[in-house]
Amino acid sequence: MYMKYNCNLYGIKGSASMEFMQKADEMRKNGEQVLSLAGGEPDFNTPHKICEAAAEALKLGDTHYAVGKGILPLRVKIAEKMRKENGIECTEEEVILTPGGKFGIYMAIFTLINPGDEVIVFTPSWVSYIPMIEACGGCAVPIELDYHNNYMLEEAEIKKRITDKTKAIIINYPNNPTGRILSWEEAEILVRIVEKYNLFIISDEVYEKIVFDNRTSISIGSFSSIRDKVITVNGFSKAFAMTGWRLGYTVAAREITEMMYKLYVHTITGTSPFIQRAALKAFECEAEVQNMVMEYERRRNFFVKELNKIEGITCRMPEGAFYAWVRFDTDKSSEEVAAMLLAQTGIVGVPGSSYGEENETCMRFSFACTMEVLEEAVRKMKRIQF
Ligand code: PLP
């Protein structure tokens, strides 16, 4: 049958969080009062020294193609960070700089998937994994995690969904939208499964630095027995408030990296050299990152505590990332609740169904916004009639 466009693209939906961010913008332009808690980006500016380094690199004319996997000093820094902070044994030859973590995830999926291969995604999940798998001709296998079990991975449930077509599992910790981080027990489940069924893991760790209550995030690639089966994806967007710079990276065994590089070199060539130069300064921004995380934690503490005081609303303390995953005790769907909230209060959040949560009525609200916005949101939510 003649298909005008790539058949993999027909069923793909837009990004829900982007849609809601745009909606908030439109409403604002029309003079309506909106409180946007839909976005997925830090409200802080990029640390000054990173901006200055970019300006300096531009002045010096660092504006040509950056050929290769990324500039060497940055790849060396990232490999060192991965060894020291994440416990992942790797060299700079196993690092590729990508335009955002997002392209790294796409490149990883594209590299692993043949038509019809199955990829396990745990839901609720970030909105882009399933569309990316489908765009690559793969078949997404969502495994619904249970709200009442705090979205813990369950070995038996995962095993039930593995077939001879299962190729990979995508994980994301700290998690968007639930705010969970991976426990040791869950990491061990994943290691056992990868070993037993010879699978790959794509581990999206873009929120790695945003963890609370002195927690640390576990990198699954640090388990040496499966090191060569893991593609770790990370980036500068969330930790360093650099969403608009579009810089991320992948870390994977040499063989996988060389395969990914084939796609990379023929699609994006490389990321901007002056942005990579600036990103080197990110490794000197520990204090700035710590300040941002402390502020997220302060907002989280306030927001979650206040939300839980509202009848019919429950919210667990997120362990990482900057989202409150809020459950509404109602028969209404999450889209209906989102529409009601918007109409009655002007609050914009993202309905849980966008993340694949079908059993509970949940919504995601970002607390990467000012305290004033959160205070106002809480005041307004208290008045809502469900
Ligand atoms: N992964 C998750 C879970 C995200 O929430 C996002 C952004 O919202 C990304 C990856 C992509 O981030 P970036 O491409 O800006 O590095």
Side-chain angles (χ1 to χ4, degrees), residues 40 100-102 105 126 129 172 176 204 206-207 237-238 246 323:
K102 206 169 202 172
I105 298 164
W126 181 49
Y129 302 128
N172 166 225
N176 172 9
D204 175 353
V206 298
Y207 293 97
S237 289
K238 313 289 178 178
R246 310 308 302 129
Y323 307 106

Side-chain angles (χ1 to χ4, degrees), residues 182-239:
L182 191 68
S183 66
W184 282 104
E185 198 187 334
E186 290 171 294
E188 279 161 10
I189 291 177
L190 289 168
V191 171
R192 279 197 293 277
I193 285 180
V194 166
E195 284 173 344
K196 183 170 163 70
Y197 299 97
N198 192 26
L199 306 178
F200 290 97
I201 291 199
I202 298 170
S203 180
D204 175 353
E205 302 180 9
V206 298
Y207 293 97
E208 173 209 19
K209 297 260 179 214
I210 306 171
V211 281
F212 308 122
D213 311 313
N214 300 318
R215 289 188 171 86
T216 43
S217 179
I218 301 173
S219 287
I220 196 76
S222 64
F223 287 78
S224 54
S225 66
I226 60 163
R227 186 209 94 113
D228 289 354
K229 310 293 286 182
V230 180
I231 303 176
T232 304
V233 181
N234 207 329
F236 294 84
S237 289
K238 313 289 178 178

